[in-house]
Amino acid sequence: MNANDGTPLDCERLFSAVRGFGDGLIGWIDGQTGELRDPFETVYGEGYGPGIAAHILAGLHRRYGCERYRAAAERLVDRSLEKLERPTDNTPFTDIFLVFWSLKAVELLGDACGAGRRDEWRERFARRGRRLDPPNTNARCLLIGASAMRVMLGMERPDAARLDRLLDAVEEMQNSLGFIDDTISIVRPPVEYYPGDVRRYRLLPDKIRGRLGMEDAGRRDMKPIAYHLFSCAVLCETLRWWKRRPAPELAPAMRRIGGIVAKGLAWIDRLVAADGSFSMTERSREHFWTCGCFVYLCAIRNGGEAASMLRRHFEWWSRFIRDDGSCSVTPNRFSNALRVGFENYATMTMYVTQGFSFLLDAAEIVSEHAQLEELPRPVIRSGDMFVDEEAGYAHIRAGGSSAGVSLRRHRGGFHGGYCPATGMFNVVIGGSRLRAFPSPCYRVEGLGVVMPVRSAGMLNNGVYDGIRAFGKRSDWGPDFTTNADVLIREDRLVLAKSFNGLAVEKTIRLTEDSLEISYEFRIGRFLDALLVTHPLLLSDGKNDASVEIRGAAVRMTLGGESYRLSCAQGYAWTHHQERHMLSTSGITSQLYVTVGRNVAKGSELKCSLLIEKL
C-alpha cells in the first residue's frame, strides 16, 4: 500500500489499539482505594490520569459492552471526584483536566451506570467543579470546554460573560497566522474558589524569581507547538459536544471557537511533514499524547487528505505499540522503564493515557461519520515554505523531504534552551520513516543526560544541529532570542544573524532525497576553533546504525536506509563518542566537522553539508 495514497483507516484498528491499552489500564487501578498507579512514575503519576482513564474505559464499554470496563470507568470517575473534593490533593490546573475528561466519561456511560449514579455525580460536579486557576492558554481552552459541557449536561446555567472573558484571552494569544501561544499575558488571572479551597502557591517578588530562573509566564518565549495542537483539539471537542447537544445560548461562543479553530488548523497543516507526521521540537517533541491529538484533528475533519493524514500518522506510530497494549511515550522501541528519567513528560498514566483517549475519540468520529463539516480541509502542497516570524518557526517541504526550523531560541540558554536558534527539527529525507537525523535537544538538568564512552574534542550538552564556536576558554552557539533575518531565495531558506562576534548566514535547501545546509561566516573576533555539527540516530531500540567515516564523507545505514553526509570546505568529520538518550528517536550521538582553527578576526569562512538518501 502506498503510504501517500488516499486510503482511509479502518476505525476498528483504532478501537482495537485503545482496547489493547484499556485491558492493561484496568490493572493499574488499586482495588482498595481506586488510585490509578503509574507503572514507573512516583511523583506526578496520578495527576489528571483518573479522568482520562475513565473516559477510555467508558468508551470501551460503549463500544464492546463489557461490564468490567463500565465498573472500572465508574470507579475512576469516583476517584476523580474524590481528588476534586480534596483541594490539597491536586493542583487547580490538573483539576481542570479531571473535570473535562470525567465529564466526557459520564456522557459515554450514559444510562449504563443508572440514574442514581448520574444524579450523584451531577451534584458532586456542580458542587466542586469550578476551582479554577488557569496558568496557560491550553488550560483556558479546557475551561471553555468544561464550562460548555456542564451547560449542555444541565449542571450549570450559561455564563456568557465568563465564556467571553476566556475566549478573549485565547484570541489574544493567537497570532495572525493562527498560532496559539501557550503562555498568557495576564500573569495573575482572576481565580474562582469555593469556600474552604486553599491556594498553595505564593508568588515570589519578580527580582527573586528572575535570579532563580523563575520568570513570569508572560515574559517567557517558549511557543510550544504541541500545546497549540492540544488547544485546537480541546476546542474542536467542544464544538463536537455542541453538535451532539446543541444549546442555543452557547451559539455565540461556538461561533468564536469555530473561528479560532479554523485559523489554528490552517497553521497545523503547514507543519505536517512529508511522512504524515507533525513537526515539533523540545518540550513540543513528538510524544504519544500529541500523536493522539493529531490523529483526532485529522479524524474530525471531512475525509480526503485528512483521512489519508490520519492513516499515515497512526501507522507511523502504531509500530511502537507493544505486545501488552501500551506505547512508548516517544517514537522509539526502548522500554518505558529505560526511558523514564531521560524523557520529560514520560508519565504513563497522564500522557500515554491521554494519547489513547484521543485515539478513542478519533475512532468514534470515523465510525459514526461525525466529522465537523464546517472545519477547513487540509491544504498540503509539496514545495511549501512556511514562515511564522511571530511564533519563531518555519517549515519547508520538497517531495518526500521536509523539516522544521526555529528562527530564534525559545526559552532557556544555549546549555539548556527550549529550542535552538536556526536549529532544524523533525528532519525527513526522501520519505524516511526512521528519523535518522534526530531533533536537537539541549536539556542538561536531570538524570542520565549522556552515557560517556571516552573524552571527545567538544563539550557535551546534548544533541545539536548547528554551529559551535570556541574562544578564550568559552564556547557558544546561536543563542539569540530575536529572529534571524529570513529570506526565501528560490527554493532555499536563508537565515542571517550576527551574534557574539560572528556574522552567520545559514542556507537550507531540501530536495526529494537530500538536505543541503550551507554556512557563510564573517569572523569578528579571534576563535580557537569553529565547528559545524549534526546529530545522528544510533539506535531506536530495534535498528542499530552503522557509521563509516572516510575523510570529509560519512556513510550511515539504519534499518535498511542508507545516507551519505559530505562536507565541502571543512576538515574531516569526527564522531563524538558519547551517547545521548534524550533524543525522542532513541540513542543518538554527534557528528562534527571543523571549519577553522586559530581563526583571525576579519576572516571569512564557508562550509556546506550535503545529506543524501541513497
Side-chain angles (χ1 to χ4, degrees):
M1 181 184 293
N2 185 343
N4 294 314
D5 68 23
T7 306
L9 177 69
D10 179 0
C11 66
E12 189 54 40
R13 290 184 61 192
L14 289 169
F15 277 121
S16 295
V18 178
R19 188 175 195 178
F21 177 72
D23 288 339
L25 184 61
I26 291 176
W28 298 356
I29 304 171
D30 188 290
Q32 298 297 318
T33 65
E35 177 186 357
L36 187 64
R37 299 168 299 188
D38 192 288
F40 308 108
E41 180 64 49
T42 59
V43 178
Y44 198 32
E46 225 180 0
Y48 41 75
I52 299 173
H55 170 246
I56 289 175
L57 295 168
L60 291 175
H61 174 262
R62 182 172 182 257
R63 177 71 177 182
Y64 298 107
C66 181
E67 283 301 300
R68 68 190 185 103
Y69 295 143
R70 179 197 58 75
E74 288 190 23
R75 186 66 189 93
L76 288 170
V77 171
D78 286 335
R79 177 66 178 175
S80 298
L81 283 163
E82 289 167 12
K83 292 176 70 63
L84 289 168
E85 289 165 358
R86 292 195 298 264
T88 59
D89 192 50
N90 235 31
T91 69
F93 173 60
T94 52
D95 281 352
I96 300 167
F97 282 80
L98 287 173
V99 171
F100 186 87
W101 263 274
S102 295
L103 290 174
K104 284 162 62 75
V106 170
E107 167 74 358
L108 287 174
L109 286 171
D111 295 331
C113 55
R117 291 285 275 161
R118 288 177 64 86
D119 290 343
E120 175 198 345
W121 287 337
R122 184 188 303 272
E123 180 183 346
R124 293 173 72 184
F125 273 117
R127 188 170 66 243
R128 303 301 304 178
R130 294 184 61 187
R131 187 165 68 103
L132 309 176
D133 189 6
N136 48 35
T137 308
N138 80 78
R140 290 184 181 275
C141 292
L142 285 165
L143 282 177
I144 291 167
S147 298
M149 287 177 181
R150 288 158 62 88
V151 171
M152 292 179 228
L153 291 171
M155 294 181 180
E156 67 178 48
R157 296 178 60 82
D159 186 340
R162 179 166 166 268
L163 272 176
D164 282 341
R165 288 196 302 271
L166 290 168
L167 286 164
D168 287 344
V170 176
E171 288 173 339
E172 181 183 355
M173 303 315 295
Q174 185 172 41
N175 72 18
S176 60
L177 294 176
F179 180 80
I180 302 172
D181 190 354
D182 197 44
T183 60
I184 53 178
S185 58
I186 302 172
V187 177
R188 297 176 178 83
V191 180
E192 297 181 42
Y193 285 109
Y194 277 86
D197 283 341
V198 178
R199 186 167 189 177
R200 293 179 288 138
Y201 302 101
R202 192 173 289 177
L203 292 174
L204 295 171
D206 288 345
K207 183 179 292 187
I208 297 176
R209 291 175 62 82
R211 288 177 180 174
L212 295 175
M214 300 166 58
E215 65 270 39
D216 286 332
R219 299 177 186 176
R220 296 174 182 166
D221 179 19
M222 297 190 292
K223 302 295 188 295
I225 297 171
Y227 287 93
H228 167 78
L229 197 76
F230 179 66
S231 293
C232 288
V234 169
L235 293 178
C236 280
E237 182 65 358
T238 306
L239 291 175
R240 186 166 76 107
W241 266 67
W242 190 64
K243 183 177 181 180
R244 294 200 309 261
R245 290 178 169 269
E249 56 270 37
L250 293 176
M254 296 301 141
R255 284 193 291 271
R256 292 181 68 182
I257 291 172
I260 295 169
V261 166
K263 288 177 62 178
L265 290 175
W267 198 93
I268 289 169
D269 291 345
R270 306 305 295 270
L271 267 76
V272 175
D275 65 352
S277 63
F278 186 70
S279 295
M280 294 175 283
T281 188
E282 193 38 70
R283 184 177 176 185
S284 285
R285 295 178 300 167
E286 284 186 294
H287 283 66
F288 188 65
W289 73 272
T290 53
C291 157
C293 270
F294 187 61
V295 166
Y296 170 85
L297 288 171
C298 293
I300 203 168
R301 300 164 77 177
N302 186 32
E305 179 64 17
S308 175
M309 285 162 50
L310 183 159
R311 180 180 57 78
R312 282 182 286 157
H313 196 60
F314 176 74
E315 288 180 348
W316 194 89
W317 262 101
S318 63
R319 298 174 299 159
F320 307 110
I321 295 178
R322 306 180 185 284
D323 292 341
D324 64 359
S326 67
C327 187
S328 174
V329 179
T330 48
N332 59 70
R333 295 177 174 86
F334 288 104
S335 72
N336 290 307
L338 176 63
R339 299 296 296 178
V340 167
F342 294 92
E343 287 292 349
N344 243 2
Y345 291 80
T347 313
M348 295 287 289
T349 52
M350 293 169 63
Y351 296 102
V352 173
T353 304
Q354 192 172 89
F356 280 105
S357 172
F358 277 117
L359 292 188
L360 173 69
D361 286 332
E364 290 179 338
I365 290 166
V366 173
S367 66
E368 298 169 6
H369 303 286
Q371 290 84 1
L372 297 181
E373 300 288 339
E374 60 269 27
L375 295 180
R377 297 190 180 192
V379 178
I380 300 172
R381 296 177 296 269
S382 175
D384 269 1
M385 196 173 297
F386 173 62
V387 178
D388 184 344
E389 296 196 49
E390 186 175 348
Y393 295 108
H395 199 265
I396 52 182
R397 282 193 293 263
S401 303
S402 59
V405 184
S406 179
L407 304 182
R408 62 179 181 268
R409 183 258 286 168
H410 293 265
R411 187 186 178 191
F414 182 63
H415 293 281
Y418 177 83
C419 180
T422 71
M424 302 180 67
F425 53 92
N426 198 29
V427 175
V428 178
I429 300 177
S432 170
R433 308 286 280 175
L434 291 175
R435 293 297 187 281
F437 305 99
S439 298
C441 179
Y442 295 119
R443 194 170 60 253
V444 295
E445 68 271 22
L447 300 174
V449 174
V450 296
M451 298 176 65
V453 177
R454 67 186 187 203
S455 61
M458 61 183 292
L459 296 178
N460 169 47
N461 72 327
V463 182
Y464 185 57
D465 152 47
I467 66 170
R468 178 78 63 80
F470 294 82
K472 291 187 177 180
R473 297 183 179 179
S474 64
D475 68 291
W476 63 93
D479 196 27
F480 45 86
T481 56
T482 56
N483 285 345
D485 295 329
V486 181
L487 174 66
I488 296 176
R489 187 181 296 157
E490 296 179 346
D491 58 348
R492 292 167 168 83
L493 180 69
V494 182
L495 306 172
K497 191 72 172 179
S498 295
F499 59 96
N500 287 18
L502 297 176
V504 181
E505 184 175 281
K506 180 176 183 176
T507 302
I508 302 168
R509 178 175 178 263
L510 273 173
T511 71
E512 174 67 40
D513 54 10
S514 70
L515 166 63
E516 182 181 7
I517 307 173
S518 300
Y519 291 94
E520 295 186 10
F521 303 97
R522 294 194 304 276
I523 312 301
R525 60 189 289 185
F526 175 81
L527 298 178
D528 293 323
L530 180 63
L531 310 179
V532 169
T533 71
H534 209 283
L536 287 182
L537 178 64
L538 297 184
S539 179
D540 64 1
K542 179 180 180 181
N543 303 291
D544 295 338
S546 170
V547 180
E548 181 183 11
I549 299 177
R550 291 188 177 180
V554 178
R555 183 184 176 99
M556 176 198 182
T557 301
L558 178 73
E561 296 180 356
S562 295
Y563 299 86
R564 182 176 184 271
L565 291 77
S566 56
C567 176
Q569 301 103 4
Y571 296 95
W573 287 98
T574 300
H575 188 198
H576 192 201
Q577 292 298 304
E578 285 187 342
R579 304 296 184 251
H580 305 270
M581 291 191 66
L582 287 173
S583 163
T584 57
S585 302
I587 297 177
T588 64
S589 69
Q590 198 78 40
L591 280 173
Y592 66 93
V593 64
T594 304
V595 182
R597 293 189 184 278
N598 300 318
V599 185
K601 180 179 178 179
S603 300
E604 296 186 1
L605 299 173
K606 295 183 179 181
C607 185
S608 296
L609 313 182
L610 179 62
I611 304 173
E612 304 166 278
K613 188 174 183 184
L614 302 178

